[in-house]
């Protein structure tokens, strides 16, 4: 009488599990001859489906930053952070609230009093924030061509982006929150 037991590690769908194609350990036990066979390693079938369900924000500390449209400066800040915001087609207000809270409270700046690096947030330092809508954060390559199908369509993204900016203003000093022009070619 032979039995077969398959053990596999099923990790949640994440970047590492999709890109690295995790290995499954398959153990075969045979009780017929009371011999234990050596476990075999088999590769999990690779999936081409990449699922991302969260707003993205790329945060950069800056000594100064500005946004230009048609050669004219539309927003500029002194010391603070530049935040590129990518909006996914399935993002909700809870995603917006989460990103706002996390970005404003990230400890990115040194504390001069204690000498600790990475100890104070933009709010603690009373620095400025420049927000820029960046749909290309959800770009993927199909061959040599970029594809942005998972980014929120512009008709829905514009009011959603405006609500994100409003969340930042409500969570911090509104005078210290600046933004670019949605949909414009910005430099």
């Amino acid at each position: 009488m032979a039995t077969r037991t398959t053990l596999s590690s099923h990790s949640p769908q994440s970047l590492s599990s999709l890109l690295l194609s995790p290995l499954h350990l398959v153990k075969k036990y045979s009780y017929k001859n009371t011999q234990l066979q050596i476990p075999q390693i088999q590769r999990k079938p690779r999936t081409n489906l990449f699922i991302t369900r969260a707003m993205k924000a790329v945060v950069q500390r800056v000594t100064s930053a500005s946004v230009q449209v048609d050669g004219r400066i539309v927003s500029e800040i002194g010391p603070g952070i530049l935040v590129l915001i990518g909006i996914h087609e399935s993002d909700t207000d809870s995603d917006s609230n989460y990103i706002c809270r996390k970005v404003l409270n990230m400890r990115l700046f040194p504390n001069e009093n204690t000498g600790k690096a990475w100890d104070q947030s933009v709010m603690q330092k009373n620095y400025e924030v420049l927000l820029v809508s960046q749909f290309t954060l959800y770009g993927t390559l199909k061959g040599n061509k970029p594809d942005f199908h998972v980014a929120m369509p512009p008709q829905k993204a514009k009011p959603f982006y405006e609500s994100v900016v409003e969340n930042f203003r409500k969570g911090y000093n509104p005078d210290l929150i600046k933004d670019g022009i949605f949909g414009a070619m910005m430099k």
Side-chain angles (χ1 to χ4, degrees), residues 29 61 72 94 97-98 105 124 135 138:
Y29 296 100
R61 293 185 322 178
R72 173 178 72 87
S94 65
N97 294 335
Y98 174 81
N105 290 299
Q124 290 170 315
F135 73 94
Y138 279 104

Side-chain angles (χ1 to χ4, degrees), residues 102-113:
K102 283 296 187 181
V103 167
L104 290 176
N105 290 299
M106 289 174 79
R107 294 192 228 169
L108 300 172
F109 299 98
N111 185 335
E112 287 83 20
N113 297 332

Side-chain angles (χ1 to χ4, degrees), residues 21-181:
S21 295
L23 301 176
H24 286 253
L25 183 62
V26 178
K27 293 185 180 182
K28 294 181 181 177
Y29 296 100
S30 174
Y31 297 102
K32 197 177 224 180
N33 299 328
T34 65
Q35 292 179 341
L36 189 62
Q37 294 182 358
I38 299 172
Q40 297 177 358
I41 297 176
Q42 298 176 344
R43 208 155 283 268
K44 179 180 178 184
R46 188 174 182 115
T47 177
N48 291 330
L49 181 63
F50 182 69
I51 300 171
T52 304
R53 292 188 184 118
M55 183 181 293
K56 289 183 182 180
V58 176
V59 179
Q60 176 68 51
R61 293 185 322 178
V62 296
T63 54
S64 66
S66 65
V67 175
Q68 292 182 13
V69 176
D70 297 328
R72 173 178 72 87
I73 294 178
V74 294
S75 275
E76 63 183 330
I77 64 169
I81 55 175
L82 168 66
V83 184
L84 303 177
I85 297 177
I87 303 172
H88 189 271
E89 62 185 355
S90 66
D91 282 340
T92 63
D93 289 334
S94 65
D95 297 316
S96 171
N97 294 335
Y98 174 81
I99 287 291
C100 177
R101 187 178 74 251
K102 283 296 187 181
V103 167
L104 290 176
N105 290 299
M106 289 174 79
R107 294 192 228 169
L108 300 172
F109 299 98
N111 185 335
E112 287 83 20
N113 297 332
T114 63
K116 287 184 179 179
W118 308 98
D119 191 45
Q120 292 190 316
S121 70
V122 70
M123 293 194 306
Q124 290 170 315
K125 298 291 275 185
N126 207 31
Y127 283 169
E128 295 177 286
V129 178
L130 178 58
L131 303 171
V132 177
S133 172
Q134 192 72 33
F135 73 94
T136 59
L137 292 178
Y138 279 104
T140 57
L141 284 179
K142 286 193 171 182
N144 292 328
K145 184 180 175 188
D147 180 26
F148 306 105
H149 74 278
V150 296
M152 188 176 283
Q155 303 83 358
K156 288 174 52 182
K158 184 174 182 176
F160 190 82
Y161 173 74
E162 290 168 355
S163 74
V164 171
V165 173
E166 192 57 35
N167 279 347
F168 272 87
R169 289 189 172 133
K170 286 178 186 174
Y172 187 37
N173 181 345
D175 296 332
L176 297 178
I177 303 292
K178 311 287 188 209
D179 70 321
I181 297 175

